[in-house]
Structure formats: C-alpha cells, structure tokens
Amino acid sequence: SLSLSFSFSFGLGKSHRAFLASAWIRRMFLKIIVPIKQVPETSNVKMDPVTGTVIRAGVETVVTPLDLYALETALRLKEKTGGTVTVLSMGPPQAMKALKEAIAMGCDDAVLVSDRKFGGSDTWATSYTLAQSIKKIGGYDLVIAGERATDGDTAQVGPGIASWLDIPVATYVAKIESMDAKAIVVERLVEDGYQILSLPLPCLLTVVKEIAAPRLPTLDGKIRSRQMQIPVFSTENMVL
C-alpha cells in the first residue's frame, strides 16, 4: 500500500536520533531529486568583465553550503520512507566533484548536466535546463533545493524549476510537519513568523539552514562514489 501517515520535524538543535524517533511511518517508495551547485570555496570571487561570469580557473570549489541542508533533508526523508535520492548538478565537468561528495553522503544516483552551450546561463536558462533534466529523469515525487546559491544569492532557480515543471512550490521551508502519499505539510519562514502550507505531490521545496544539520560523508560512501559512473546530460541527449 502507498498509504503513509506520520509527522516529524527538522528543527534547530534536533539531532538525527530525535528526528528518527519523532515519527511513525509505513514505508513507501519516494523518489527525491536534489539539484545542487558547485561554487568557489573562497569569498574572493572575481568576475570576467567581458562575459560577466565567475572566473573559476584556479579556484577551489565546494558544494554551496545551503545545498547541504537540502541533501540532508532528502536523505532523512529517504531513511523514513524508503526510496531513492538522485542528486543533479549543472556545470562544467569539474562539478563531478560535488556530485561525488553527495554520493558519499548517501545519495543513490547522480546526474551531471554539462555542455559548453550552457556556459554563462542566467537563472532563467539554468532553471529551464534543470527542469528539462528532471523531466528526463522522470518519476519524481519531490524536488528539494537549497534556499539559494552563495555565489549568485538570487534564490530564483528553485522556484524557477517549479514553474517550468508546473508543480507547487514552498520556499524558505524550516520544518516538515507531516506527509502522506498525496501531500506534504511544511512550515516556512515569513517576515512575521511561520506559515503552515499543505502541498500536493509532486512539488518542490527550497529549505533553509534551520531544517537540519548536514551529515559528513562516510568512508563507505566515498568508496562508492569513486566507483560510480555518473551519466552526463547535454544538448545531444536532452530535449530543450
């Protein structure tokens, strides 16, 4: 049966153990997709004056810190419901590093969206391309994204993906209150407090740091990530 009835929260100061103990659940197969971005590790970001894009050559990169909260949220949901977490990143071939870090944390699959034609994409083009990639993956129940990328700071890509996919979206989600086979109830931050929303599945959430403390990659996860062959989506095998 796909019936599911439980309530739980990712609150400030809540440990993973407390999270696991806070809910009763019948397991179901939930397919979650998490788009992430690789960003420069340093705060000294330089822009190319001609192209208007970030100069990445010679700069160490990391998964944007706010995307780690999305990964952790997805992994905890997977542990409660069963199912899979697929991580997705659009960027140059070097973005494989970010995907492998996500696999080492516990994600099941990964996809790199990479093509020289995608270089310099703004948030409109990026959200469209990621949405088309999600359509190509297919069969998803939930998309979870970070609040924003630390290099652009626009918070536009997550809602943009939802718009292209024509699915409901809740931004600034700080807690997941409950979930069943048809809908998810979340608590989101607003200027004067919190707002409770119920969204039908599939839907997209953008989450804030209050939702969960990200875990570290495991040794087994690192070994698995090194062995995994990650597929690449490009203009040659995507419908754009």
Side-chain angles (χ1 to χ4, degrees):
S1 170
L2 290 180
S3 63
L4 175 67
S5 177
F6 67 101
S7 75
F8 58 94
S9 65
F10 304 99
L12 273 173
K14 299 292 185 181
S15 68
H16 195 187
R17 180 176 297 179
F19 167 79
L20 291 174
S22 67
W24 175 84
I25 179 174
R26 293 176 185 170
R27 293 179 68 82
M28 63 178 286
F29 191 91
L30 190 66
K31 187 170 182 178
I32 306 170
I33 296 177
V34 182
I36 66 172
K37 186 178 183 182
Q38 189 179 55
V39 298
E41 185 174 20
T42 177
S43 59
N44 185 24
V45 176
K46 296 181 179 179
M47 304 295 293
D48 187 314
V50 177
T51 65
T53 58
V54 176
I55 298 175
R56 301 181 184 273
V59 178
E60 288 295 321
T61 56
V62 295
V63 177
T64 190
L66 295 170
D67 286 346
L68 296 176
Y69 300 105
L71 287 170
E72 181 63 27
T73 303
L75 291 170
R76 292 192 186 190
L77 275 172
K78 170 192 167 183
E79 290 164 355
K80 296 300 294 184
T81 68
T84 62
V85 175
T86 299
V87 61
L88 174 71
S89 187
M90 175 177 163
Q94 294 88 333
M96 281 286 187
K97 175 186 173 184
L99 294 173
K100 287 185 178 291
E101 180 178 344
I103 293 295
M105 289 176 66
C107 294
D108 299 277
D109 303 295
V111 173
L112 175 63
V113 184
S114 186
D115 195 301
R116 292 187 66 87
K117 295 178 181 179
F118 299 151
S121 295
D122 59 12
T123 55
W124 187 92
T126 298
S127 62
Y128 175 79
T129 305
L130 287 171
Q132 295 304 110
S133 302
I134 291 170
K135 288 179 181 179
K136 181 175 173 66
I137 295 169
Y140 59 92
D141 301 291
L142 188 61
V143 181
I144 305 177
E147 172 194 350
R148 54 188 166 81
T150 53
D151 61 345
D153 210 29
T154 65
Q156 294 174 350
V157 171
I161 293 172
S163 178
W164 289 116
L165 293 176
D166 195 23
I167 59 175
V169 58
T171 55
Y172 305 106
V173 172
K175 183 187 294 184
I176 297 178
E177 293 283 358
S178 63
M179 185 176 183
D180 60 31
K182 295 182 179 181
I184 186 168
V185 178
V186 302
E187 181 181 281
R188 65 184 295 264
L189 297 179
V190 293
E191 289 184 1
D192 56 352
Y194 295 90
Q195 180 185 45
I196 304 297
L197 291 179
S198 177
L199 296 89
L201 300 178
C203 66
L204 184 146
L205 310 177
T206 71
V207 299
V208 294
K209 64 183 181 180
E210 288 83 356
I211 199 162
R215 69 192 66 190
L216 295 174
T218 65
L219 177 59
D220 287 344
K222 290 180 179 180
I223 294 172
R224 181 169 171 268
S225 72
R226 291 173 183 170
Q227 298 172 340
M228 177 172 288
Q229 297 296 315
I230 296 176
V232 178
F233 290 178
S234 69
T235 54
E236 295 184 356
N237 57 15
M238 289 177 61
V239 177
L240 295 171

